Amino acid sequence: MYYVISCVDKAGHAHVRAENRPAHVDYLKANIDHIVMAGPTTSEDGEAMTGSVLIMEYDTLADAQAFADGDPYKAAELFESVTIRPWKKVLPA
C-alpha cells in the first residue's frame, strides 16, 4: 500500500535542515526500495525548502510510521507537523 508522508518545517529552522541533510539523504538511500517519490516542498520562488513530501510503499501504516519516526530530521526536531495518509494511485495507469 502507498502512504503519503507530508512534513512541514518549523519556521526559522533552515539551519537544522542543512545540518541534518546528509544523514537524512543517507536514511532515504537506506530505504530506497520503499520510496515511490520523495522531495522537499519549497517557497514559491523555489529558493527555500519548507518541508518534505514522500510517497512510500509499505505493508502497513505502522511500517510507514516507523519509517517517519526514524528520519534524522525528526530526531533533529525539524518538523512542525508530520501527517501520514494512505494513498491510492489512479493516474497514470
Side-chain angles (χ1 to χ4, degrees):
M1 175 173 264
Y2 296 121
Y3 294 92
V4 175
I5 301 174
S6 180
C7 311
V8 177
D9 291 2
K10 292 177 183 174
H13 278 61
H15 66 285
V16 174
R17 178 177 277 276
E19 291 164 4
N20 291 278
R21 188 170 190 279
H24 169 74
V25 171
D26 287 346
Y27 183 70
L28 294 182
K29 288 178 181 177
N31 290 277
I32 197 75
D33 291 344
H34 295 279
I35 298 174
V36 177
M37 281 190 254
T41 57
T42 66
S43 57
E44 191 170 325
D45 64 7
E47 294 298 316
M49 295 181 197
T50 60
S52 301
V53 173
L54 305 97
I55 300 178
M56 307 296 294
E57 186 172 17
Y58 281 106
D59 291 333
T60 67
L61 178 60
D63 292 336
Q65 183 68 60
F67 168 81
D69 288 345
D71 189 332
Y73 280 164
K74 178 174 180 170
E77 300 183 3
L78 171 63
F79 299 130
E80 177 180 305
S81 66
V82 175
T83 58
I84 303 174
R85 292 194 172 91
W87 181 70
K88 181 179 178 181
K89 182 179 184 231
V90 175
L91 293 172

